[in-house]
Amino acid sequence: MEELHTFYYFLDLAGTFAFAISGATAARERGLDLFGIFSVAFMVACGGGIIRDLCIGAIPPAGLTNWYYLATAMFAATMTIWLFPVVEKIKRPVILFDAAGLALFAVTGAQKSLIFGHNAEVAILLGIVTAVGGGIIRDILLNRVPVVLEREIYASAALLGALIVVLGVSFDWLTNDWMSIIAIIVGFSLRMLALRFHWNLPAFSKK
Amino acid sequence: MEELHTFYYFLDLAGTFAFAISGATAARERGLDLFGIFSVAFMVACGGGIIRDLCIGAIPPAGLTNWYYLATAMFAATMTIWLFPVVEKIKRPVILFDAAGLALFAVTGAQKSLIFGHNAEVAILLGIVTAVGGGIIRDILLNRVPVVLEREIYASAALLGALIVVLGVSFDWLTNDWMSIIAIIVGFSLRMLALRFHWNLPAFSKK
Amino acid sequence: MEELHTFYYFLDLAGTFAFAISGATAARERGLDLFGIFSVAFMVACGGGIIRDLCIGAIPPAGLTNWYYLATAMFAATMTIWLFPVVEKIKRPVILFDAAGLALFAVTGAQKSLIFGHNAEVAILLGIVTAVGGGIIRDILLNRVPVVLEREIYASAALLGALIVVLGVSFDWLTNDWMSIIAIIVGFSLRMLALRFHWNLPAFSKK
């Protein structure tokens, strides 16, 4: 299944790009300087995976060693800084990429934890961390309550994707490849449906 | 000393429960959604231990592998969400559990660092981190200055507990079990006395 | 080159001292209590190096095992608490020490990553993290946007220092010792010039 890996590779870079765009845009709006924008873009794209790799013992974290993550994040930040009109024009594909990245990161994050020999709980938790950790770091750096904890079906889509792939692999329902594809499609679809119909998880009004 | 380990086990779960209640309550008051409340509850209960385990090389962190920590935190969050009147009624035992958890986490955190072969300084510092790290993460996520850095004899109780057990073990004063019990009692008592008599560490007024 | 190592040792402690002073001063102004001031001072001095050590697999982190880092940070915090007039008087040497610490931490952080067998990208990224990570943690704990992401040529000086030493070592331009000295001098000079002439990186006005 050579095509599958090419497809993953494309999704991985597209997701990294979309995550970095979200980081760079938020940093720009907050008035950060060039270094700040590059840093936040990189941390949104790679932060979740770095925390996952520290927790599973994958040293050094992939986000720090593979230059194409850094390059993709720098490219996204550069666009956001000097070609902001273009970034505003590609808003819709970026939302698609973001949802795809969310689902893919959750699934590959969970699988990497399993490959390193850890149990289902670790895999599900770190799948979620891979997908939403970067966004949480972005909001901490920008000094606000992480949006993923406040509203929107976002982490839930990551949870669902990670859950499906971990259950599928544990109970040997289908091949790994098929389970991954199904999990990515389900996570992606839940996220897109939530965006389309403005689904939110219940919350309590602030005191 | 079979009873001792049953007793530890009970304290460990009671402390986890109390920490998760504090996280879930704070997250609920801040208006987070279901995922946010569960996440903050889990991070308060397990965050300090996860940082400790990363620092001592206990991979993967116990907070991620042992399902009963996750289950206890989820149970506490569920209660806080749907049975808030009950949570308000058990406020007083929760304060007791919290002080017990504080002392226990500091002592067991320090001991785990020693067992992994690290020195007294690492053990004391990571004992404190185990006890107060979760609360600091809670306040960072909720976008406020960590209360443990601002006022109250809280971290100091953790420091005292960790210090006693590390000194006791290093100089071989008593058996490990006895030193742990003494350290837990002293840490717990300092915290309860500070609460009772409103002791605070000195601070400087804000500029 | 025995003198060189004595010189490094002096710079390392001077940098740790200056970083801790910056943390303790900020914590004091924010109204934290004694424990808070000590904690923030320690985290500014050692936080960046601790993150680096977690990422390169240097367990336990040097900041937790070497008592002289803790002692230096505690000394700086103690001065800031009880001898604040003295701290205000030594403001100018502290700025010098801070710039020296910045350059030194970037260079030694990058070198430690290389020594642990990681690639140039890891070394440069973690050189920057070593130098600016503590300051970012300080600002997160004090609930504000990290100043290093907002303005000033600060991280850029760390980047330049790390870049020079990594390139120099990779391409074998000079001996390690000479490359380190050059990298430290360049990083330090860029920082001092930026302070002197109020250089900033470009930023965008807040929305």
Side-chain angles (χ1 to χ4, degrees):
Chain A
M1 285 177 116
E2 184 60 32
E3 298 84 6
L4 188 67
H5 291 116
T6 311
F7 178 64
Y8 276 170
Y9 192 73
F10 169 76
L11 273 194
D12 196 31
L13 288 190
T16 302
F17 178 78
F19 277 35
I21 288 278
S22 99
T25 304
R28 189 186 201 275
E29 284 174 0
R30 190 70 179 226
L32 299 199
D33 69 8
L34 289 189
F35 177 78
I37 297 173
F38 279 106
S39 302
V40 175
F42 178 67
M43 286 310 295
V44 177
C46 299
I50 290 174
I51 297 175
R52 175 203 62 214
D53 285 352
L54 292 178
C55 288
I56 63 174
I59 299 296
L64 300 178
T65 37
N66 294 347
W67 67 268
Y68 49 85
Y69 290 119
L70 182 63
T72 306
M74 296 303 96
F75 175 65
T78 304
M79 275 186 63
T80 309
I81 294 167
W82 286 288
L83 294 168
F84 200 60
V86 176
V87 171
E88 298 219 295
K89 241 174 226 156
I90 58 170
K91 230 175 191 171
R92 292 175 64 92
V94 165
I95 287 175
L96 270 177
F97 289 174
D98 187 81
L102 176 74
L104 180 83
F105 288 6
V107 169
T108 53
Q111 280 184 319
K112 188 167 181 181
S113 307
L114 291 176
I115 291 169
F116 271 70
H118 304 310
N119 66 22
E121 184 190 333
V122 175
I124 294 168
L125 291 174
L126 292 180
I128 302 171
V129 166
T130 310
V132 306
I136 291 179
I137 294 173
R138 173 198 63 211
D139 292 339
I140 290 175
L141 290 175
L142 299 181
N143 197 27
R144 58 192 192 195
V145 175
V147 67
V148 68
L149 302 179
E150 262 193 321
R151 53 175 181 274
E152 298 195 356
I153 305 280
Y154 192 87
S156 315
L159 166 59
L160 191 65
L163 193 67
I164 289 173
V165 79
V166 169
L167 288 180
V169 169
S170 303
F171 293 108
D172 220 359
W173 287 338
L174 285 169
T175 65
N176 262 11
D177 280 342
W178 277 110
M179 283 317 304
S180 303
I181 293 171
I182 292 170
I184 292 170
I185 290 173
V186 173
F188 174 76
S189 308
L190 175 58
R191 173 63 187 149
M192 291 311 290
L193 288 168
L195 274 177
R196 175 72 188 75
F197 297 105
H198 303 285
W199 290 342
N200 283 298
L201 284 182
F204 300 89
S205 53
K206 279 190 208 190
K207 272 205 183 160
Chain B
M1 283 178 120
E2 184 61 32
E3 298 83 7
L4 188 66
H5 293 116
T6 312
F7 178 64
Y8 276 171
Y9 193 74
F10 170 75
L11 272 194
D12 196 31
L13 288 190
T16 302
F17 178 78
F19 277 35
I21 288 279
S22 99
T25 305
R28 190 187 200 273
E29 284 174 0
R30 192 69 179 226
L32 300 198
D33 69 8
L34 289 189
F35 177 79
I37 298 173
F38 279 105
S39 301
V40 175
F42 178 68
M43 285 310 294
V44 177
C46 299
I50 290 174
I51 296 175
R52 174 204 61 214
D53 285 352
L54 292 179
C55 288
I56 63 175
I59 299 294
L64 299 178
T65 37
N66 294 346
W67 66 269
Y68 49 85
Y69 290 119
L70 182 63
T72 307
M74 295 304 96
F75 176 65
T78 304
M79 275 186 63
T80 309
I81 293 167
W82 287 289
L83 294 169
F84 200 60
V86 176
V87 170
E88 298 218 295
K89 241 175 227 155
I90 58 171
K91 230 174 191 172
R92 292 174 64 92
V94 165
I95 287 175
L96 270 177
F97 288 174
D98 187 81
L102 176 74
L104 180 82
F105 287 6
V107 169
T108 53
Q111 281 185 317
K112 188 167 182 181
S113 307
L114 292 176
I115 291 169
F116 270 71
H118 305 310
N119 67 22
E121 184 190 335
V122 175
I124 293 168
L125 291 175
L126 292 180
I128 302 171
V129 166
T130 310
V132 308
I136 290 178
I137 294 173
R138 174 197 64 212
D139 291 339
I140 290 175
L141 289 176
L142 299 181
N143 197 27
R144 57 193 195 196
V145 175
V147 67
V148 68
L149 302 179
E150 261 193 321
R151 54 176 182 275
E152 297 196 356
I153 304 280
Y154 192 88
S156 315
L159 166 58
L160 192 65
L163 193 67
I164 289 173
V165 79
V166 169
L167 289 179
V169 169
S170 304
F171 293 109
D172 220 356
W173 287 338
L174 284 170
T175 65
N176 262 12
D177 280 342
W178 277 110
M179 283 317 305
S180 303
I181 293 171
I182 293 171
I184 291 169
I185 291 172
V186 173
F188 173 76
S189 308
L190 175 57
R191 174 63 187 150
M192 292 310 291
L193 288 169
L195 274 176
R196 175 72 187 76
F197 297 107
H198 304 285
W199 289 342
N200 283 298
L201 285 182
F204 299 90
S205 52
K206 280 189 208 189
K207 272 205 182 163
Chain C
M1 281 178 121
E2 183 60 33
E3 299 83 5
L4 186 66
H5 292 116
T6 312
F7 177 65
Y8 275 169
Y9 192 73
F10 169 76
L11 273 194
D12 196 31
L13 288 190
T16 302
F17 178 78
F19 277 34
I21 287 278
S22 99
T25 305
R28 189 185 200 275
E29 284 174 1
R30 190 69 179 227
L32 299 199
D33 70 7
L34 289 189
F35 177 79
I37 297 173
F38 279 106
S39 302
V40 175
F42 178 68
M43 285 310 294
V44 178
C46 298
I50 290 174
I51 297 175
R52 175 204 61 215
D53 285 352
L54 292 179
C55 288
I56 62 174
I59 299 295
L64 299 178
T65 38
N66 293 346
W67 67 268
Y68 50 83
Y69 289 119
L70 182 63
T72 306
M74 295 304 96
F75 176 66
T78 304
M79 275 186 62
T80 309
I81 294 167
W82 286 289
L83 294 168
F84 200 61
V86 176
V87 171
E88 299 219 294
K89 240 175 228 157
I90 59 171
K91 230 174 192 172
R92 292 174 66 90
V94 165
I95 287 175
L96 271 177
F97 288 173
D98 187 82
L102 176 74
L104 179 81
F105 288 5
V107 169
T108 53
Q111 280 184 318
K112 188 168 181 181
S113 307
L114 292 176
I115 291 170
F116 271 71
H118 304 309
N119 67 22
E121 184 190 334
V122 176
I124 294 168
L125 291 174
L126 292 181
I128 302 171
V129 167
T130 310
V132 307
I136 290 179
I137 294 173
R138 174 198 63 212
D139 292 339
I140 290 175
L141 290 175
L142 299 181
N143 197 26
R144 58 193 193 194
V145 175
V147 69
V148 69
L149 303 179
E150 262 193 321
R151 52 175 184 275
E152 296 195 356
I153 304 280
Y154 192 87
S156 315
L159 166 59
L160 191 64
L163 192 67
I164 289 173
V165 79
V166 170
L167 289 179
V169 169
S170 304
F171 294 107
D172 220 358
W173 288 339
L174 284 168
T175 65
N176 262 11
D177 280 342
W178 277 110
M179 283 316 306
S180 302
I181 293 171
I182 293 170
I184 291 169
I185 290 173
V186 173
F188 173 77
S189 307
L190 175 57
R191 173 65 186 149
M192 291 311 291
L193 287 169
L195 274 176
R196 176 72 188 75
F197 297 105
H198 304 285
W199 289 342
N200 283 298
L201 284 183
F204 300 90
S205 53
K206 279 190 211 190
K207 271 202 184 165

